[in-house]
Amino acid sequence: MDTAQFQAMLEERGVPLSSQALAQFERYYELLIEWNEKMNLTAITDKPSVYLKHFFDSLSPAFYYDFSQSLSLCDVGAGAGFPSIPLKICFPHLKLSVVDSLQKRIHFLEHLAAELGLADVEFYHDRAEMFGRNKEFRESFDVVIARAVARMPVLSELCLPLVKVNGTFIAMKAASAQEELEQGKKAIHVLGGEVSAVERFTLPLEQSERTIIFIRKVQSTPNKYPRKPGMPNKQPIE
């Protein structure tokens, strides 16, 4: 995917890109490759694939959800900044919080945000389980998003405690999502969520399947969740 295709295919989906946004994506790519030589940020490094599999893919929730409103967004396990930094580039008014358990990745993201001139962005070096128990952040976000972090029963416990009641948890998944969703039904219910939509689409050019699961927070998460670090993985709510 070259930059012209990137721009055209996003516009087709109702996500227009300003010249500033295009320049920011270009700089993002440069920094990603530069820092990737020092630390493991991504296995995908050729430019067309980064634009398709990281940038375009990260923006896909905006095909189905209105990010143009005033929203607080939390990205759990952001890694190299996907999906939240591309979303912030396209929707600069978003109030963004990014959580990752690896300090080195947080350093990269802080540098990236400064280089791209992103305002209203906070980065937190923390485990999602601890972050979700912090009274300052618990049930405080309009939208919590995660891409390829963990299976649905585990991911729901890491993310739903952070979503405010009537807010939305967005889980970005590959093709096997239906099975995961079945496994995650109990956890979603226990943690106060309800599946509101499941959107499937094909990533252009390479034709791989993607699934985006939207979960509405319908009631408060019980106080005992999330459990201590490691527990959601060891003993998922199933």
Side-chain angles (χ1 to χ4, degrees):
M1 174 176 273
D2 61 31
T3 51
Q5 288 172 314
F6 178 63
Q7 185 172 20
M9 286 182 179
L10 284 173
E11 289 203 354
E12 272 172 33
R13 294 286 203 154
V15 184
L17 287 180
S18 65
S19 55
Q20 182 188 358
L22 277 169
Q24 287 172 310
F25 277 113
E26 189 65 23
R27 186 69 185 124
Y28 193 167
Y29 173 72
E30 290 168 1
L31 288 166
L32 182 68
I33 299 311
E34 184 187 312
W35 280 63
N36 202 53
E37 289 174 6
K38 299 179 273 186
M39 56 188 282
N40 181 27
L41 288 169
T42 176
I44 299 165
T45 55
D46 67 285
K47 193 171 184 179
S49 295
V50 169
Y51 268 78
L52 176 66
K53 296 179 183 177
H54 284 328
F55 295 166
F56 187 89
D57 188 46
S58 288
L59 292 167
S60 60
F63 306 160
Y64 310 101
Y65 186 89
D66 182 10
F67 285 97
S68 67
Q69 38 191 331
S70 176
L71 294 167
S72 56
L73 173 70
C74 180
D75 185 356
V76 173
F82 309 122
S84 57
I85 300 294
L87 285 166
K88 175 73 175 169
I89 290 171
C90 289
F91 303 97
H93 60 276
L94 291 174
K95 187 176 179 351
L96 178 61
S97 298
V98 176
V99 188
D100 199 89
S101 60
L102 199 64
Q103 184 69 61
K104 283 195 298 188
R105 283 198 292 257
I106 293 291
H107 281 320
F108 165 70
L109 293 169
E110 287 172 339
H111 179 76
L112 176 68
E115 283 276 320
L116 300 185
L118 303 179
D120 221 356
V121 184
E122 298 289 340
F123 298 101
Y124 300 96
H125 171 229
D126 206 352
R127 291 284 298 254
E129 296 97 328
M130 302 299 290
F131 194 73
R133 295 197 73 82
N134 186 323
K135 287 194 174 84
E136 189 184 341
F137 306 114
R138 185 180 181 86
E139 299 198 326
S140 71
F141 297 101
D142 297 309
V143 179
V144 176
I145 198 164
R147 176 180 180 254
V149 172
R151 290 188 316 114
M152 280 307 290
V154 180
L155 194 61
S156 298
E157 187 169 350
L158 301 180
C159 294
L160 273 168
L162 291 163
V163 183
K164 61 171 68 164
V165 174
N166 292 320
T168 304
F169 162 39
I170 303 174
M172 299 175 67
K173 294 288 180 184
S176 61
Q178 193 53 46
E179 188 184 327
E180 272 199 48
L181 197 50
E182 289 301 317
Q183 295 164 349
K185 271 185 174 168
K186 182 180 177 184
I188 291 164
H189 174 71
V190 165
L191 296 157
E194 183 178 273
V195 176
S196 57
V198 178
E199 302 289 353
R200 294 180 178 84
F201 79 104
T202 304
L203 205 57
L205 307 175
E206 68 155 36
Q207 304 299 308
S208 57
E209 286 179 47
R210 296 286 188 273
T211 308
I212 307 174
I213 300 164
F214 295 87
I215 295 166
R216 191 164 157 265
K217 181 83 168 269
V218 291
Q219 58 190 37
S220 270
T221 300
N223 286 334
K224 69 177 189 173
Y225 300 109
R227 291 164 293 168
K228 64 185 184 184
M231 283 299 284
N233 235 339
K234 280 188 198 128
Q235 295 175 15
I237 307 165
E238 285 182 279

